[in-house]
């Protein structure tokens, strides 16, 4: 049966960083809703144009379009063995929709590693984040620098800083997380699938804690 893992945690907690390690380890497809939106933005699709204003302001893109986009992605053949969801669900309505969809497939969310990190640490992480737009790899100028500044270790591409990692938007995103996404911690705890991980540890240490949590269920 396919395995479905949801990575939960505030912006900057380390979801994308850990997703790369975990997806490989368990042979799952890494599906990041933020990356899907950024792809649509780059390709100037209707969805991208709609999402842009919300993303620039650090607000959530409306549930209906977000749910449709993710459903479409995880129904594809390359997701057959299971998916590691990163950045979705982010609202109770999204969580309900995901649950319903997986039920229809005879599956469910198997495990929700929740990476907890206090707000002041998040700001420092997001303001030093550099991303490779080609392969999605994530770096930090201080905590996880590339071998050569500004260049992706994996594919040699030029790294960029995301517009929404600028300070006013970062604070908004952290607030939005607290209001709209944090309720999912209790939601998944009630379903008995939450595994809280201390995200203030080093990238390596957090990775070990996450793998241990997931191995118990997946
Ligand atoms: P998210 O996907 O949750 O928004 P990222 O994985 O993009 O978070 O990480 C945010 C930033 O913090 C990146 O610059 C990343 O290199 C850095 N980072 C991730 N995990 C850690 C960690 N455990 N310690 C220090 N920095 C980290
Ligand atoms: P981070 O992990 O740093 O918060 P993401 O790349 O996950 O950033 O998301 C960037 C932006 O994309 C969000 O601020 C939001 O506007 C939009 N977005 C991503 N995922 C969702 C979602 N599940 N629901 C609504 N909006 C989303």
């Amino acid at each position: 049966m396919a395995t479905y893992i949801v990575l939960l945690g505030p912006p900057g907690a380390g979801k994308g960083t850990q997703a790369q390690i975990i997806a490989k380890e368990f042979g799952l497809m890494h599906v990041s809703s933020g990356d899907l939106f950024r792809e649509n933005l780059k390709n100037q699709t209707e969805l991208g144009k709609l999402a842009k204003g919300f993303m620039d302001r650090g607000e959530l893109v409306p549930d209906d379009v977000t749910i449709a986009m993710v459903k479409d992605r995880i129904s594809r053949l390359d997701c057959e063995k299971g998916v590691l969801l990163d950045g979705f669900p982010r609202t109770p309505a999204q969580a309900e929709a995901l649950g319903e969809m997986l039920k229809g497939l005879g599956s469910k969310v198997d495990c929700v590693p929740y990476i907890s990190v206090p707000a002041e640490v998040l700001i420092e992480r997001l303001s030093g984040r550099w991303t490779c737009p080609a392969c999605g790899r994530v770096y930090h100028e201080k905590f996880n620098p590339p071998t050569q500044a500004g260049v992706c270790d994996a594919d040699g591409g030029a790294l960029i800083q995301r517009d929404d990692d600028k300070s006013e938007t970062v604070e908004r995103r952290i607030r939005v997380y607290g209001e709209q996404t944090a309720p999912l911690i209790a939601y998944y705890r009630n379903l008995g699938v939450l595994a809280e991980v201390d995200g203030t540890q080093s990238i390596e240490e957090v990775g070990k804690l996450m793998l241990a949590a997931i191995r118990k269920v997946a």
Side-chain angles (χ1 to χ4, degrees), residues 6-7 31 33 66-67 70 85-90 94-95 97-98:
V6 167
L7 292 188
V31 173
S33 46
T66 304
I67 290 167
V70 174
L85 282 161
D86 162 11
F88 182 93
R90 247 176 164 98
Q94 293 180 15
L98 175 66

Side-chain angles (χ1 to χ4, degrees), residues 2 37 50 67 84 86 91 103 126 129 132 135 205 208:
F37 280 129
L50 185 149
I67 290 167
L84 180 66
D86 162 11
T91 64
K103 204 164 144 191
L126 292 171
R129 168 159 76 181
C132 175
C135 74
E205 199 51 42
K208 281 188 200 153

Side-chain angles (χ1 to χ4, degrees), residues 36-173:
L36 292 175
F37 280 129
R38 281 183 289 277
E39 231 172 84
N40 276 282
L41 228 70
K42 199 168 84 187
N43 298 331
Q44 300 189 323
T45 65
E46 283 309 310
L47 175 61
K49 286 179 201 157
L50 185 149
K52 186 178 184 324
F54 295 99
M55 294 174 80
D56 286 347
R57 290 192 299 276
E59 292 167 10
L60 294 186
V61 180
D63 280 336
D64 52 351
V65 287
T66 304
I67 290 167
M69 174 184 76
V70 174
K71 268 189 174 173
D72 172 68
R73 182 65 193 90
I74 64 182
S75 325
R76 296 204 205 145
L77 211 57
D78 58 2
C79 291
E80 213 174 31
K81 288 202 178 111
V83 181
L84 180 66
L85 282 161
D86 162 11
F88 182 93
R90 247 176 164 98
T91 64
Q94 293 180 15
E96 289 289 339
L98 175 66
E100 282 301 312
M101 180 193 173
L102 297 185
K103 204 164 144 191
L105 296 173
S107 276
K108 61 177 178 54
V109 171
D110 295 292
C111 181
V112 181
Y114 159 49
I115 313 180
S116 69
V117 177
E120 58 286 5
V121 178
L122 298 174
I123 293 170
E124 195 186 11
R125 287 196 184 170
L126 292 171
S127 59
R129 168 159 76 181
W130 288 81
T131 313
C132 175
C135 74
R137 197 168 288 250
V138 190
Y139 300 87
H140 190 282
E141 55 195 26
K142 207 157 105 192
F143 306 130
N144 184 27
T147 310
Q148 193 187 335
V151 179
C152 180
D153 288 349
D155 63 9
L159 302 180
I160 55 148
Q161 279 195 298
R162 276 167 48 180
D163 283 341
D164 62 345
D165 280 346
K166 310 223 164 91
S167 67
E168 334 77 74
T169 316
V170 162
E171 281 163 28
R172 178 76 150 292
R173 281 159 59 210

